[in-house]
Every structure is written in C-alpha cells, then in structure tokens.
Amino acid sequence: MERQIQSALISVFYKDGLDTIVKKLHELKVTIYSTGGTQQFIESLGIPCIPVESVTSYPSILGGRVKTLHPKVFGGILARRELAEDMQHIDEYAIPLLDLVIVDLYPFEETLKATTEEKTIIEKIDIGGPSMIRAAAKNFKDVAVVAQRSDYAALLSLLEAQQGSTTWEQRKAFAAKAFEVVAHYDIAIADYFCNEQTDEFFLSVSNKQSLRYGENPHQQATFYGDINALFDKLNGKELSYNNLVDVDAACQIIGEFQEPTFAIIKHTNVCGIAIAEDVANAWTAALSGDPESAFGGVLVTNQTITTAVAEKINELFFEVLIAPAFEEEALTLLKSKKNRILLQQKSSLSIPKEYKRILNGVLLQDTDSKAYEKWEEAGARPTTEKEKQDLAFANIVCKHLKSNAIALVKDKKLIGKGCGQTSRIDALRQALDKSKQFGFSLDGAVLASDAFFPFDDCASMAHEAGINAIIQPGGSVRDKDTIAYCQQHGMALVMTGMRHFKH
C-alpha cells in the first residue's frame, strides 16, 4: 500500500546531508515539525517548520532531556490509519499525523572513545530518539522512518522518483534498518554498564561488507567491522575471507615485537619470522626459514618498506603485505602487480577478549596476551644471554602456532616449526624435518613448546639433533623426567608456568 508523505518530524544530532532532504520535502509541500538545534538548522535554510513545543504545549525541559516524549508526538507516529478508533482519538485530541520520521541518536559510542567522564557519557544516552524510531518502525504500515544519515541518499532518491510517495516494502525496509540501529545502540550502552557483570553475551558490529565467498568458494561470507580504521588499502583486489583471517593472525604476531621484525603467515600459522638490525635483513632471514611455504602468504612487518626490501619481496608471489609505511619508490614497484594487496597499518590491533561459536553457544575468553608467568631455570646450567633472547623470541612465536606446536629458533630467526599436530613428539619431528629441509644447523638452536612435555622423549630427540636449550611451561606430573634428562645432558631448561594452546 502506498502512502503519501504529507508531514514529517525531523530531529537529528548530525545535520550534514540533511539540507537536501529538507529542501525536497519543502518542495513537495510536506509539513515539517522539529525541535531544538534541528529546528534552527531548518529555519536557517529559509524553510518554515512547526516547533514540537507548539504541538505539545510543553517546552523542552530538564536541560533538554524531555522534548518529544509526549502523547501528541507518539500518537501521531503510532496511529493506525485503518482503525477508526485510532483516528477518532487523533481528531479528539488534535494530534497531527506524522508520515515520515527522521531521527538519529546521540553519539554514545563516539563519546566513549573521547572521554571516560561518566557524567558526559550518561548524557549521551538518548531516550526520546530510540523511542520515536521504534514507534515509527513498529508502525511501518503507515510511517516511513530514517534512523541514520547513511540512509539519506536512499530517502532522497525515493522522494525524487516517487514525489513523496512510499510503498509498503520501502517502509518495511527502512523499519528493519531502524530496528538494527536501535539494537546496536542499546547493546553499546548495555556493554558499557554491564561490562563483564552480565549473564548475556552482547555483540553488535556494523559496517557490513559482502565477500566474494567464504573459506571455500561454495560458502557465502560477510565481514562486519570497520577495517578502514586499521588500514589504508593502497593496492590490490578486495580482501577475501581467508585473507582477513591471515591478516588478523599477522597483526597479532607483529604486535608482539618492537625491534625490526618481518613475519610470513600461511593459514594463520607463522611459517617465517625473524628479528634483525633492519627491515631488509629481517625479510631475508624470515624468508629463509621456509621459502617454500612463503609462496602465496601474508607478509607483515613493523618497519617501513624500503625500496631495497621491496625489490626482494617483489620476487615472491604473495597475497597481502602489511606495513606501517612504504617508501614512494617501493610502493610504485610493488603496485606493478594489480592484485597484490598492500595495507598500510594505521594502528596496532588491541583485542582484550576473543570469542568463537561453539555448538549452540559462544565461548568468550581473555586474549592470550602474556608470554610467561615466571622464568625458572631448571636445567643443568643457566641460559646464556644469547639463549635467553632466542628462547624469549621462540616462546612468543610458538604462542602463535596451532597446537600442538614446537618452534626452533636460532639467532632470532624461526628455522623449524611443527604445528597442528596431534602429539607433541610429532610436532617436534615436523619442526626438525623443516629445519633439515632448508639446511639449517641446529647447533646453538633453541626449542619452544606451547605446552608441557608429558615425557622426556622431546628433550631427548631435541638433544640428539643438537639443541641444548628449551623453554616450556611445565605442569606435567612427569616434569621431573624432562628436568632430569636436561640436567644429565648439560641442557638449559626454562619453565614459564604459562601454557599457550591455540586451537
């Protein structure tokens, strides 16, 4: 059923883009009702509007907290045009019918980002706005509602194309968006008040982006979130589902380091990573750890991409490169392949909580942001300074590998890794095989494990391969077996007291 817009209530916080809407409504001879700053804005355009206060016979009171909460406002929004009883009340109480409601909400989330002052935050909790939006959306059979400025263009197009007429389908579509806006707003407020003291799991993420497909081509997928807040995309095709998953893993691991570091990610696992005196050497070292797996990977560094390193990177096929900055000549070179995705990272990834869907519910946990609980030397000798640096590095790298995981490190470079294995000894075998594949000597190398050794077999196998320093959380009922082996064979052993499972 079509409805002609004859009257509109407009009350918004954001005025940008509103002028063209107001001018079109005036051109269509729509009666406009407004209040406060919006009324002043409309009148500044030379367009007349009726103050809501003249309808309600009440001024704005309580410092602006109460302006539109009145039966003469909500009656005009909620009245069902097809019900004689409703229309009788409209006539009896002289309530003006409202065919269009343009109302947005106070910037609560923006205020949270700008201040921690509770008084200021509380005053940005909108009361009248959500109430009017919900009322108009509920009565979409008769009323059109626009609850966010991003829908102004759609409304203007509709007004121009249909000369102020709206269809049932159009009004319902606007209503659906309106309920989404209010739901997101309420979740943000509830999250602020409840924090972790709630029995409910709240999550509302806007900015929907359809992806080409999901993890596999036959799966549909969507990303919700403002990725532009983290990156400037300088080149390449749209990020895919798998790209986004690996970019997340890349940002998590690179955020662990301050020294010049380069990492290569494949299927969320780090297959190459190194710390060096500069970005070019960090790249060369990271790539040498597993040049085979690096093909088609996601690359990330915490340093500016220089022309020198860009020339080296340009020799490899990769999906994504992430860096805080690019030299101009380096960027020109890397842009030579149009599909290469180049992301300039604007801010580090800081995620205090992580969650995943499990069965018919959600698992929520703290992000694994710590490296170790303690540094307990339990081997035959204290670790050397060089071993300490390599062990600390290996421990962090291992934290970012899928369990069961083993990382072999030498000179702050990953030279072998085993991940996603069903036994720890298999993870070690895989790591040793990788190191041998690319010709690394394990003399002077160190080993990190994401969880305890249930037996001394890993210590034995590592020692036989030439490794003489191990870092692991401990916690096994048979820790004494591994400790005894290390002590008997002159090996350094650090117990951290902190497991790093990753599934």
Side-chain angles (χ1 to χ4, degrees):
M1 180 183 297
E2 291 195 0
R3 294 288 189 195
Q4 186 69 30
I5 298 173
Q6 297 179 325
S7 58
L9 171 62
I10 307 177
S11 179
V12 297
F13 185 89
Y14 296 105
K15 312 298 190 298
D16 46 312
L18 183 64
D19 54 343
T20 53
I21 299 288
V22 170
K23 289 175 182 177
K24 187 62 183 179
L25 290 172
H26 180 61
E27 179 186 319
L28 294 170
K29 302 189 184 321
V30 173
T31 302
I32 299 175
Y33 297 87
S34 191
T35 185
T38 307
Q39 176 190 337
Q40 294 173 11
F41 174 80
I42 294 171
E43 290 174 341
S44 74
L45 299 173
I47 295 173
C49 65
I50 300 172
V52 169
E53 292 85 349
S54 69
V55 176
T56 63
S57 300
Y58 272 89
S60 173
I61 61 174
L62 306 182
R65 281 189 164 195
V66 179
K67 290 183 286 189
T68 55
L69 294 168
H70 193 279
K72 282 201 171 184
V73 174
F74 283 85
I77 297 173
L78 286 165
R80 292 160 291 188
R81 274 59 163 177
E82 78 280 8
L83 284 186
E85 186 177 0
D86 281 12
M87 298 312 293
Q88 181 181 338
H89 288 155
I90 291 295
D91 293 338
E92 182 178 351
Y93 299 108
I95 298 173
L97 288 173
L98 298 170
D99 305 310
L100 171 65
V101 172
I102 303 176
V103 173
D104 64 8
L105 302 172
Y106 292 163
F108 180 80
E109 289 179 284
E110 292 86 342
T111 304
L112 276 182
K113 294 175 184 177
T115 183
T116 58
E117 185 184 39
E118 186 175 82
K119 180 181 178 182
T120 302
I121 293 169
I122 296 300
E123 287 307 311
K124 286 298 182 285
I125 297 176
D126 206 329
I127 303 301
S131 300
M132 288 187 288
I133 291 170
R134 287 175 63 87
K138 177 178 180 176
N139 199 28
F140 72 90
K141 286 179 64 177
D142 297 306
V143 179
V145 57
V146 173
Q148 54 189 355
R149 52 184 166 171
S150 59
D151 287 331
Y152 284 177
L155 175 63
L156 182 61
S157 176
L158 182 152
L159 292 173
E160 290 175 340
Q162 299 170 201
Q163 295 299 299
S165 177
T166 63
T167 67
W168 184 91
E169 291 81 8
Q170 290 165 341
R171 294 191 298 274
K172 188 173 184 180
F174 277 127
K177 289 186 177 182
F179 280 123
E180 285 182 7
V181 169
V182 176
H184 179 85
Y185 193 76
D186 285 343
I187 286 173
I189 295 169
D191 190 55
Y192 169 73
F193 275 95
C194 298
N195 200 359
E196 296 179 28
Q197 310 304 314
T198 177
D199 293 331
E200 308 293 332
F201 176 74
F202 297 125
L203 180 67
S204 178
V205 183
S206 54
N207 297 309
K208 178 181 178 181
Q209 178 184 336
S210 295
L211 304 177
R212 283 173 289 159
Y213 52 82
E215 204 161 7
N216 299 291
H218 63 275
Q219 295 172 269
Q220 293 184 345
T222 304
F223 174 73
Y224 292 87
D226 185 10
I227 199 167
N228 294 325
L230 294 174
F231 307 104
D232 284 329
K233 184 165 169 285
L234 307 179
N235 190 67
K237 59 187 178 182
E238 293 301 315
L239 285 160
S240 69
Y241 180 101
N242 292 328
N243 288 156
L244 288 165
V245 172
D246 281 344
V247 166
D248 177 73
C251 291
Q252 287 189 49
I253 193 167
I254 205 67
E256 301 266 17
F257 304 103
Q258 300 301 317
E259 299 171 89
T261 306
F262 226 117
I264 304 166
I265 308 298
K266 279 292 283 292
H267 298 292
T268 74
N269 286 300
V270 56
C271 61
I273 185 169
I275 293 175
E277 64 275 14
D278 58 50
V279 67
N281 283 301
W283 163 252
T284 301
L287 179 63
S288 69
D290 188 349
E292 190 174 73
S293 295
F295 183 86
V298 169
L299 320 180
V300 64
T301 183
N302 55 7
Q303 302 293 301
T304 298
I305 296 295
T306 63
T307 303
V309 75
E311 289 173 347
K312 295 181 178 182
I313 294 171
N314 197 48
E315 299 171 359
L316 177 75
F317 169 73
F318 62 88
E319 287 278 335
V320 184
L321 171 59
I322 308 163
F326 293 78
E327 288 184 355
E328 186 174 346
E329 190 174 337
L331 190 59
T332 300
L333 175 62
L334 293 169
K335 281 183 172 181
S336 62
K337 301 289 177 63
K338 65 177 183 178
N339 285 332
R340 277 181 180 163
I341 301 170
L342 305 177
L343 300 178
Q344 184 168 329
Q345 189 168 2
K346 297 188 285 188
S347 60
S348 59
L349 191 64
S350 177
I351 308 295
K353 299 283 184 182
E354 55 188 24
Y355 52 87
K356 61 165 48 173
R357 181 209 59 78
I358 294 294
L359 300 174
N360 61 347
V362 176
L363 283 175
L364 177 70
Q365 67 173 355
D366 296 334
T367 299
D368 186 8
S369 59
K370 296 180 181 179
Y372 48 81
E373 193 69 42
K374 61 181 180 179
W375 186 280
E376 179 185 336
E377 303 265 0
R381 59 178 176 79
T383 52
T384 66
E385 185 57 35
K386 180 179 181 301
E387 285 174 337
K388 283 180 180 177
Q389 292 182 17
D390 276 351
L391 286 167
F393 177 70
N395 187 53
I396 291 173
V397 172
C398 199
K399 186 177 80 167
H400 291 271
L401 293 170
K402 290 291 180 70
S403 301
N404 289 307
I406 295 288
L408 305 181
V409 164
K410 187 175 181 179
D411 300 325
K412 295 183 181 178
K413 174 174 74 173
L414 181 66
I415 61 171
K417 54 100 177 56
C419 54
Q421 299 303 300
T422 52
S423 72
R424 195 149 305 282
I425 194 73
D426 278 345
L428 177 54
R429 287 192 187 101
Q430 186 186 58
L432 293 173
D433 286 345
K434 274 290 182 183
S435 67
K436 291 174 185 176
Q437 180 183 353
F438 299 109
F440 291 108
S441 168
L442 293 174
D443 291 336
V446 305
L447 178 154
S449 175
D450 65 333
F452 64 66
F453 295 125
F455 310 103
D456 64 5
D457 53 356
C458 284
S460 172
M461 183 179 290
H463 181 249
E464 290 172 5
I467 294 167
N468 280 302
I470 293 174
I471 187 168
Q472 59 124 338
S476 169
V477 295
R478 299 185 65 172
D479 274 350
K480 63 182 185 300
D481 294 348
T482 298
I483 293 171
Y485 184 92
C486 290
Q487 290 178 348
Q488 291 165 12
H489 293 83
M491 299 176 71
L493 175 64
V494 174
M495 313 279 273
T496 67
M498 182 169 287
R499 189 180 73 187
H500 291 297
F501 272 169
K502 185 181 181 187
H503 297 107

